Amino acid sequence: MANRIELIFDFVSPNAYLIWWPLRDVVKRTGAELDVTPVFLGGMHKMTGNAPPMIRDADVKGKVEYSMLEMRRFIEQHRLSKYKLHPKFPFNSITLQRMCFAADQDGRGVQFVEGLLPAIWEEGVDITDPEALGAAVTAAGFDAADLFARTQTDEVKQGLAANTDHAVERGAFGIPTMFTGPKGGDTEMFFGKERLAQIEDELAKG
């Protein structure tokens, strides 16, 4: 049964923020389970030869401008007016992603994502500053000292790398990638925030 959505996730992607709230609405409407799989997008790009759209499409006349138009339309359609491009975008997300992995180990990955996304993509918290990041993590209801410590363990470092490798093996090449279907079973892959309607149709099949 397609009663589960797995989101391949890295905080560094603006689309990770933009997909989150509409995806949560889909979950509410369908009763699906939502799982988050933290990965390192920089590593994913290296493995797949992909690059951020603004870099990849820079030489294609009109494409970057059109992509920005579609983003504005998406923001308006889903009432995401709080969104602001992070002042340090693209930032290095490795520490944050390791924290997210550690939180997911504790069964709180979804809560970590939901707690930190507004701080990053609405408030512009400087996640490259450990003190500012720690304050945001604490405000989201997590033990920042514990998560910081766990980012330095081989278990978390290797676990995030393994998540990234596995996502690429399954066909993922960017953010947001989503899979519907049971954990460990047959799944359908969807890429891009524009696939929400297709995901909901897939979930409706049961």
Side-chain angles (χ1 to χ4, degrees):
M1 289 180 63
N3 60 350
R4 171 179 170 269
I5 305 171
E6 176 189 0
L7 176 64
I8 306 299
F9 183 88
D10 188 327
F11 280 101
V12 73
S13 171
N15 285 324
Y17 171 89
L18 295 174
I19 192 70
W20 183 257
W21 313 107
L23 190 63
R24 292 289 268 162
D25 289 340
V26 170
V27 167
K28 289 176 185 176
R29 287 194 297 270
T30 63
E33 177 186 356
L34 176 61
D35 287 336
V36 168
T37 297
V39 299
F40 183 51
L41 182 58
M44 183 182 288
H45 280 174
K46 286 182 180 178
M47 284 187 280
T48 61
N50 198 5
M54 65 181 65
I55 296 173
R56 185 188 65 228
D57 300 330
D59 295 330
V60 181
K61 182 175 174 58
K63 190 168 184 181
V64 172
E65 291 80 4
Y66 182 75
S67 295
M68 295 305 296
L69 172 61
E70 286 289 12
M71 179 180 283
R72 290 195 297 272
R73 287 171 174 164
F74 188 90
I75 288 170
E76 183 177 348
Q77 177 186 0
H78 295 284
R79 301 177 182 177
L80 300 169
S81 59
K82 294 180 181 179
Y83 166 80
K84 297 176 184 174
L85 184 66
H86 195 278
K88 290 196 173 179
F89 175 79
F91 48 79
N92 188 329
S93 64
I94 190 68
T95 297
L96 189 55
Q97 289 305 108
R98 288 174 180 168
M99 284 183 148
C100 189
F101 180 88
D104 194 54
Q105 281 186 311
D106 298 338
R108 300 185 68 197
V110 169
Q111 292 90 334
F112 188 85
V113 169
E114 190 137 301
L116 270 294
L117 277 175
I120 297 167
W121 292 106
E122 296 175 12
E123 301 164 21
V125 168
D126 183 1
I127 65 98
T128 65
D129 176 355
E131 185 174 342
L133 175 56
V137 169
T138 299
F142 290 83
D143 184 335
D146 173 66
L147 292 184
F148 269 123
R150 290 165 69 185
T151 65
Q152 299 306 305
T153 65
D154 288 341
E155 180 182 9
V156 168
K157 290 179 180 179
Q158 293 170 9
L160 181 65
N163 269 8
T164 305
D165 291 345
H166 189 218
V168 170
E169 289 169 4
R170 296 164 70 194
F173 51 85
I175 304 292
T177 296
M178 291 144 287
F179 293 92
T180 61
K183 196 173 224 177
D186 293 335
T187 58
E188 288 285 331
M189 183 179 118
F190 300 85
F191 174 75
K193 60 186 182 296
E194 300 80 13
R195 305 294 173 257
L196 286 166
Q198 292 178 12
I199 290 170
E200 193 156 1
D201 287 346
E202 184 67 20
L203 293 169
K205 295 176 183 177

